[in-house]
Structures are given as C-alpha cells and as structure tokens.
Amino acid sequence: MSCPFNRNGNNHDDNAIPLGSDVGMIYGEYLMLEKVLSAQRMLSTQDNRTVHDEHLFIVTHQAYELWFKQIIYELDSIREMLNEEKIEESKTLEILKRLNRIVLILKLLNDQVPILETMTPLDFMEFRNYLAPASGFQSLQFRLIENKLGVKSENRVKYNQRYSEAFGGDKLATDAISGSENDPSLLDLIDRWLGRTPGLEVDGFNFWHKFQESVAKFLDQEEKNALLEKTENARNYRLMDIEKRREVYRSIFDPNVHNAMVSRGDRRFSHRAMQGAIMINFYRDEPRFSQPHQMLTLLMDIDSLITKWRYNHVMMVQRMIGSQQLGTGGSSGYQYLRSTLSDRYKVFLDLFNLSTFLIPREVIPPLNEHMRQKLK
Ligand code: HEM
C-alpha cells in the first residue's frame, strides 16, 4: 500500500521520496496540524495555575465542532441531491450512504460524552470562571444542523427562539443562520419527495381512498366483534377504544384536522407527504420501496440520536453544575436544556407516529397488477 501523503504514491522503500522533501507533501502539512494542534490554548495555564482537565474540555469541544462540520457537509450534499424533481437510483444509494454516515457520527458524538464525564464537578469548577460568557449555546454549527434538518423557530422553546442574538455582530454567522432558516431544509425536501410517492395519484392506484375504505371496514368489523362481548363492561370498554381509534384516523383522513395539528406544531409533514410515508411503510417489501423505507428509518435514527445527545448533555450538565445554577450563556442551565428534550425538537416526528395508523397486514389494500409492476 502506498502512503496517501506521498505525492508519487511510492511504497516506503529506498526509492521513495523522503517525507518533508520539496516534492512530497508531509502528513502534518496536508492536515494543517500546526494550526489544529496549536489551538488548545488553556486559560488556566495563561493564569499560571494550570488546571489539568481544561485540556480535555477544550479538545472535546473541538472534536465535536469538527464532526459538526462533517455533518453539515454531508447534509448540504444530501439536500442538493434531494432538490430535484426526479432522483436517480444511484443518487438514492448515495443519499442512503451519507445519511448512514451522519447516523454513525451522531453515535460517536453520544459516545464522547462519558469521556468528558471523567472530569469531576470540582475539577470543572477550577476553570469554569475562565469560560464565561462562552457557552455551547453559541455553537453556530449546532444551530445550522438544527435548521438544516428542519427545526422551526416557532417550535423552539421561548428562550431558544432568540438563539440568533448570540451571534449579534458577526455578519458571517448571521448570514449563515438566515440562509439555513430560509433554504429548503431536509424536512422540506423529504416532504416534497414523499408527496411524489407512486400510487398516490387519485386517477391511478389512489392509495389514500383504498386505505380509508380498509380502515372503515376494519373498524366496523371490530365493532361487530365488540358487541359479542359477554359482559357490558368489556363491551363498553372495547367500543370506547374503537371510537378513540376512529378519532385518531379522522386526524389523518380529514385534511383540516391534520393541518390544524401542523399549525399547533404537533405534526410536521404536509397531508400528501403523510400519505406517501404511510404507503411506503405498508409496501416496504416491494423492491421499489425498499430504499425509501431505509431512508425513512435513517431519518428517525438521526432524530433519535440527537434527542439522545440532548439527554446525555443535560445529564452531564446536571452532574457538573447541578440544576440551580445559571449557564455561562445566561440561560437557566439545566431547566432550559431539559425543556429542549420535548417532541417539539423532533424534526421527523410524524415518522415516529406512523405506527399509530398501522392496520393488520391482511387489511392493507392489495396492490393491483399495474401497481405491482410499477414497484418492481
Ligand atoms: C462540562 C460540560 C458542559 C457543561 C457544564 C455544559 C453546560 C451547558 C449549559 C448550561 C448550556 C445552556 C446554555 C447556557 O450556557 O446558558 C449548554 C448549552 C449547550 N452546550 Fe453545553 N455544556 C457542557 C459540554 C458541552 C459539550 C462537550 C458540547 C459539545 C459541543 C456542548 C454543546 C452545547 C450546545 C450545542 C448547547 C446549546 C443547546 C441548546 O440550546 O439546545 N456542551 N451547555
């Protein structure tokens, strides 16, 4: 194997150009390590009272920011590929590969938390004063990731809605923020893509109509079965349960109810995208729906891993500074961070809730021959 840092691609034998010569590029040069490795300035050392763990604190945050950068790089490329009317199969594969890469990075970011937790609260206290008013709240890349995924300002908790003030005078940062708020997010693009799911056409397979018929038939049959219950209690209990289910289905079948839920922040997808997601979920074993189904699974993984990170971070914060101290960024600290754990920050919330609308396999509308061919 030749070393990638040797321009000639020679093996390390006698003929190889020595590292550091004028011709070959050396490892540290290529990676600009001089810059990266001299960026761990310890404020406690500058104050002549080196606190050992400040080094870990800095390196951990820098590692996070580097991985955030990679996530943004992948996300931007995925959004670009999705921003087309027709997505070629080779592109779908590439999108899947990159979404999966983001998932793996997020797993790694969760695994990094316990490393920082080897620092005790007393160790942290020894250098915490040097940080203020710096705070993770000012992480531009974290906000860009949230916005590019599709976290909407109106869904953020109140304190968090003013997050862009943290970048006040920094024009580059505020431009990047407004770009990320205004450009189509991954959620917007996935919504558009789901809306084009084959089989939704009213003058074609008309999945939505067939699905509504199947649900009605299924619930009517359930009702008949409930009436056969021997005791009044059991009968009433089952009938009440069926009525609740009818109500749940009404929330997707009636576009007005669905749209009202979107306005309240309880749903994210358009009515049409919701139909596409349900359809893909039902017929995921058909060859043409296999990759789209994988895509939906990866999107849920991303949401779920970010929520896990928020949770791990808030636990670490409580361990380090308790639940009564303000954060260095001026928030209520633990209390504020805990409030960001709610579903309001889940971008692909509707995908998690799809299970609510499942019906038994035998009741799923069968595909006709034309549709089966289409999904091959
Ligand atoms: C000793 C460890 C840590 C403590 C005590 C801590 C503390 C806090 C606190 C109190 C906040 C709320 C904002 C404020 O400062 O008022 C916050 C926000 C934040 N921190 Fe940390 N943090 C720690 C480690 C980390 C690490 C390793 C990262 C990785 C990048 C990070 C990223 C963030 C981000 C992105 C926010 C904003 C979260 C949001 O607004 O939803 N923090 N942190």
Side-chain angles (χ1 to χ4, degrees):
M1 261 278 278
S2 64
C3 173
F5 298 99
N6 182 334
R7 243 184 231 154
N8 289 355
N10 291 336
N11 286 327
H12 294 285
D13 57 24
D14 291 345
N15 298 324
I17 296 168
L19 289 179
S21 77
D22 290 345
V23 191
M25 184 179 275
I26 62 169
Y27 177 83
E29 227 183 301
Y30 176 72
L31 298 174
M32 300 180 75
L33 290 185
E34 204 176 87
K35 272 193 173 174
V36 179
L37 299 182
S38 59
Q40 292 69 39
R41 175 201 48 181
M42 288 166 66
L43 290 183
S44 60
T45 303
Q46 287 187 351
D47 203 21
N48 288 324
R49 46 177 298 272
T50 296
V51 180
H52 181 85
D53 284 10
E54 190 185 355
H55 197 271
L56 175 70
F57 186 81
I58 295 171
V59 168
T60 307
H61 279 81
Q62 288 175 340
Y64 269 102
E65 290 293 338
L66 275 177
W67 283 120
F68 286 167
K69 187 165 187 178
Q70 187 65 30
I71 292 177
I72 291 173
Y73 191 67
E74 304 295 352
L75 253 184
D76 283 346
S77 72
I78 294 169
R79 284 159 63 237
E80 201 179 309
M81 286 189 274
L82 277 173
N83 202 5
E84 281 175 19
E85 265 310 298
K86 187 162 172 16
I87 303 166
E88 301 297 327
E89 204 170 319
S90 61
K91 282 215 172 137
T92 317
L93 264 180
E94 198 55 40
I95 293 174
L96 277 178
K97 191 174 107 190
R98 293 181 195 180
L99 282 174
N100 188 43
R101 187 176 288 165
I102 294 180
V103 166
L104 292 178
I105 295 174
L106 288 171
K107 281 188 180 154
L108 179 72
L109 294 188
N110 272 310
D111 283 350
Q112 272 181 204
V113 172
I115 306 180
L116 190 54
E117 281 176 342
T118 59
M119 172 177 82
T120 66
L122 261 180
D123 296 329
F124 183 45
M125 212 171 161
E126 281 192 63
F127 67 89
R128 187 174 182 229
N129 281 344
Y130 295 116
L131 310 177
S135 156
F137 194 75
Q138 297 143 8
S139 168
L140 172 64
Q141 296 199 103
F142 184 75
R143 295 302 170 214
L144 293 180
I145 291 175
E146 285 184 333
N147 290 344
K148 283 168 191 268
L149 284 172
V151 174
K152 298 270 176 289
S153 208
E154 57 272 22
N155 286 343
R156 294 176 182 276
V157 298
K158 246 207 163 85
Y159 178 79
N160 194 207
Q161 288 181 1
R162 302 197 319 266
Y163 75 90
S164 56
E165 287 171 14
F167 310 104
D170 183 344
K171 171 116 175 53
L172 272 182
T174 48
D175 284 354
I177 286 288
S178 49
S180 69
E181 284 173 339
N182 299 328
D183 292 346
S185 64
L186 186 62
L187 173 67
D188 298 328
L189 295 162
I190 291 288
D191 190 286
R192 245 192 260 165
W193 169 74
L194 284 173
R196 298 195 299 263
T197 305
L200 293 184
E201 309 81 11
V202 179
D203 54 353
F205 182 64
N206 200 358
F207 164 72
W208 202 236
H209 177 71
K210 290 188 167 66
F211 178 45
Q212 293 187 54
E213 280 183 344
S214 289
V215 168
K217 234 198 258 169
F218 168 63
L219 291 179
D220 287 349
Q221 185 56 48
E222 289 282 289
E223 209 167 286
K224 277 186 199 148
N225 298 344
L227 290 172
L228 299 177
E229 284 287 353
K230 290 199 179 71
T231 66
E232 196 182 340
N233 260 356
R235 208 162 41 239
N236 287 344
Y237 179 81
R238 280 190 64 182
L239 288 174
M240 207 172 65
D241 188 49
I242 293 165
E243 191 41 43
K244 263 195 215 146
R245 293 207 68 185
R246 284 195 197 280
E247 200 54 45
V248 166
Y249 281 108
R250 230 168 278 151
S251 81
I252 43 164
F253 291 153
D254 183 341
N256 293 327
V257 181
H258 172 81
N259 292 336
M261 290 184 78
V262 173
S263 311
R264 281 205 308 273
D266 294 335
R267 286 211 186 130
R268 308 275 183 273
F269 282 150
S270 65
H271 194 231
R272 175 104 180 163
M274 201 80 188
Q275 300 173 19
I278 292 176
M279 189 169 178
I280 291 172
N281 221 26
F282 281 166
Y283 305 105
R284 59 171 177 256
D285 294 337
E286 300 301 320
R288 201 167 155 201
F289 277 171
S290 157
Q291 287 183 355
H293 182 255
Q294 282 179 51
M295 200 129 114
L296 300 186
T297 306
L298 289 169
L299 294 172
M300 275 192 285
D301 289 345
I302 289 179
D303 245 341
S304 162
L305 285 161
I306 293 182
T307 308
K308 281 180 187 154
W309 183 81
R310 289 188 203 274
Y311 182 75
N312 289 336
H313 174 254
V314 80
M315 285 293 112
M316 174 167 66
V317 168
Q318 189 177 34
R319 179 192 285 227
M320 294 294 170
I321 63 171
S323 40
Q324 304 300 326
Q325 276 196 67
L326 296 185
T328 45
S331 78
S332 56
Y334 171 78
Q335 309 298 342
Y336 156 65
L337 292 169
R338 223 178 51 162
S339 69
T340 67
L341 286 173
S342 88
D343 274 355
R344 303 184 71 80
Y345 284 78
K346 274 209 196 98
V347 176
F348 298 100
L349 176 67
D350 301 325
L351 295 177
F352 289 85
N353 286 331
L354 283 189
S355 322
T356 322
F357 310 110
L358 289 186
I359 46 177
R361 214 176 259 274
E362 63 276 10
V363 196
I364 296 175
L367 294 175
N368 56 29
E369 193 45 36
H370 175 70
M371 204 51 215
R372 188 160 291 119
Q373 289 303 326
K374 213 169 165 180
L375 295 186
K376 263 201 172 144

